[in-house]
Amino acid sequence: MWERSMEEGAPLLGERRVKPKGTSVMRVAALAVSALGTAALIAVVGVSVMSARNPGAAREAVSELGAGVTETARRALGPMCTEDDRLMPTVFLIGVEKCGTTSLYDDMISHIPALRPMHDDEGTPAKEMRYFDTGGRFVNMLKWNKDPTPFREWLTRHADTCAAVASSLANEMSAHGPDDPFDMAASRTPRLHVDGTPAYFNAGVGAKIADAYPRPEQRRRLRFVAAVCDPETRLKSAFTFFKTLYNGWGGDRAGVWERNLYTHYFATYADWLRQTVAALPEASKPGGLFDNPGARMAETLDGDAEDADDADGESVGGLGSEEHAERRRMKNLFNEVVKTRYESVLREYLDAGFSADQFLVLPNSYYFERPADALRDIASHVGVAASDLDVIGDAAHANAGRVDAATRARLVGDVRDGDRDALREHLRPQLEGLRRLHCEEGLKMAAWHGVGEEERDRYWSFMPKGAERDCENAS
């Protein structure tokens, strides 16, 4: 109801509208469902619907709806309510890990009033729900449940009821009258659940999210945000973060979990990179890991969960039966590379039935330098309003890690130029593919258009430079 299609929404600060081409049948169907769903919601709800997509359109005062305001508020939540009256997540901050997602999530919750946090097993608001990359096994960094949990059952513990959300929205609606018509886009009622799990930017996750939203009108409501950054910087940051993750906390269990992290097997980032680059040719062959990384990573996850269960029946991660050694070796080498293959991960989401305009990709340097503009872009993408941006201040690296500069340098080690060049060459097609997704299929890229060339080159400094970088040839 309050969401804007790509064609109708206001342009992002760094966005230029392009006509998608090369669109698959599934994506065409998704766009058609979007149009039908929007028309149906306008017919059913009728409360300031058009104002979310056309600020100049006439708006109906809520007072004219009388006693039906609660039902109207309920209908505004549309297909995102389950049979158990739980509000499904609508907005996903899917990554990328170590590109500033913790800070970005905090600012999104603080400055986009429509967004509503989900909560952990204790009822505390939580950023990372980790459902779709673990099947609902995740509890915290020291505890995973042994068995996957069905999505609807999991929602009963982690999502609010639609009745509670609708009641709050109805109260806000009722405060408006003919002289102050209600505007859904500007509503300050938190009504869109957010899952801020950066681990979702990985192979195989897009199809799992699509499966959890079986109705096309549900899938079309979803909005995805991905903060990206320089691949080499991201990989270094991930290594030092995970290498020191369990330092000083976790007790006896921490040692078990640390051995299940890829960083356990490498002394330095340079060591990991050297072995990974050496294995890239084999992984890139037909039938290699990069042919179907989602399936390979899922195999490893399932194998790890079976390897080591404690007395309470909780998985504590795989310590290594020999039969899983090869799959674990592949995961240790390539999992972080898979997360940095930006085009491949996004194309998996599109192949699962989502459309390119449901995704906003923004460089983290743009967010760190201009957080208010980045949040406006995100709010516009979702189809709602941002607020209090004049007091946002500078964005902070909220989850930068637990190491000082000297320790970080030691853990990175002496990276060979040849290894660095080989990594860049492997990832170059992925970055070029990201540009094609924008230019040809309508993927939203903040700070790509609408800013000066110098600014764009600064924010997107890791992108290959080329004649088509600004989509001048896009139709």
Side-chain angles (χ1 to χ4, degrees), residues 180-418:
D180 182 24
F182 177 76
D183 183 354
M184 184 65 78
S187 167
R188 299 185 68 87
T189 297
R191 61 188 183 278
L192 305 175
H193 261 326
V194 185
D195 184 347
T197 303
Y200 292 167
F201 201 92
N202 206 344
V205 177
K208 295 177 182 178
I209 296 178
D211 287 345
Y213 294 79
R215 296 161 56 187
E217 62 268 29
Q218 293 174 332
R219 290 197 295 272
R220 270 304 298 167
R221 283 212 172 198
L222 303 189
R223 291 293 179 270
F224 300 90
V225 178
V228 296
C229 54
D230 176 81
E232 185 178 5
T233 301
R234 195 205 80 77
L235 289 168
K236 288 179 181 178
S237 180
F239 186 91
T240 57
F241 177 81
F242 288 117
K243 190 70 173 176
T244 59
L245 179 61
Y246 290 106
N247 287 2
W249 69 284
D252 295 338
R253 293 169 64 89
V256 176
W257 278 97
E258 188 278 331
R259 279 178 285 169
N260 197 45
L261 295 173
Y262 80 102
T263 48
H264 174 78
Y265 301 90
F266 309 97
T268 64
Y269 167 81
D271 180 37
W272 167 82
L273 182 60
R274 175 176 55 80
Q275 296 187 45
T276 298
V277 164
L280 276 175
E282 186 69 25
S284 301
K285 289 181 179 178
L289 180 140
F290 292 129
D291 251 3
N292 190 358
R296 301 296 182 88
M297 296 304 173
E299 271 185 354
T300 308
L301 176 65
D302 292 340
D304 285 349
E306 294 169 0
D307 277 343
D309 298 327
D310 65 16
D312 297 327
E314 297 164 351
S315 169
V316 293
L319 297 182
S321 60
E322 291 185 7
E323 61 195 87
H324 295 135
E326 179 61 18
R327 286 182 297 190
R328 184 170 294 103
R329 185 183 76 87
M330 288 193 303
K331 182 186 74 171
N332 290 336
L333 286 176
F334 293 117
N335 192 37
E336 291 304 317
V337 176
V338 169
K339 298 174 188 177
T340 316
R341 289 164 57 90
Y342 294 155
E343 181 202 14
S344 292
V345 173
L346 287 169
R347 284 201 180 275
E348 283 198 17
Y349 275 87
L350 303 190
D351 290 342
F354 299 109
S355 60
D357 69 295
Q358 291 178 261
F359 294 81
L360 171 64
V361 177
L362 70 157
N364 69 343
S365 57
Y366 170 57
Y367 161 62
F368 286 129
E369 185 175 318
R370 297 166 62 175
D373 289 330
L375 290 169
R376 285 192 191 94
D377 286 354
I378 293 170
S380 175
H381 175 58
V382 175
V384 297
S387 68
D388 303 322
L389 296 178
D390 56 327
V391 297
I392 190 172
D394 294 329
H397 295 261
N399 198 20
R402 298 178 173 85
V403 295
D404 55 34
T407 302
R408 185 174 293 106
R410 176 176 57 81
L411 292 177
V412 169
D414 186 13
V415 179
R416 302 187 306 189
D417 290 342

